Amino acid sequence: MNRDAILSELSEIFADVMDLDEVELRDATTAEDIEEWDSLSNIRLVVSIERKYKIKFANAEIEALRCVGDLVDTIIRKTS
């Protein structure tokens, strides 16, 4: 799966979790860029992403995520 496909799928997950009509994610997107991205929605995002890609994040991996690009890199690494 390529980076653009993952970004597209993550945009759908983010929109669903945050109850938004549309979310356009970029590698540099952070929680500061999306008003609805708070600690509760972050937990729901992690659970939804784990289900979608059939992966599990370690706490250290979650704590190391600084932007959507980091998330994409982690998904690629865990699904390859």
Side-chain angles (χ1 to χ4, degrees):
M1 180 167 287
N2 69 42
R3 184 171 209 84
D4 289 338
I6 292 173
L7 275 172
S8 177
E9 290 176 348
L10 288 177
S11 293
E12 292 176 20
I13 292 170
F14 273 64
D16 182 53
V17 166
M18 296 178 192
D19 199 25
L20 299 171
D21 291 335
E22 186 175 339
V23 175
E24 185 176 334
L25 297 177
R26 294 168 303 186
D27 281 343
T29 301
T30 68
E32 294 180 12
D33 299 318
I34 301 174
E35 183 177 332
E36 293 80 1
W37 191 351
D38 58 18
S39 58
L40 179 59
S41 64
N42 197 57
I43 293 169
R44 294 176 58 212
L45 281 171
V46 168
V47 170
S48 295
I49 292 166
E50 286 179 335
R51 287 183 183 155
K52 170 71 178 174
Y53 294 101
K54 298 178 177 37
I55 58 176
K56 286 286 185 190
F57 293 107
N59 287 340
E61 290 173 318
I62 295 169
E63 291 172 6
L65 300 174
R66 298 292 175 242
C67 62
V68 170
D70 293 343
L71 178 59
V72 173
D73 290 340
T74 303
I75 292 169
I76 289 171
R77 183 173 43 79
K78 293 181 91 62
T79 58
S80 298

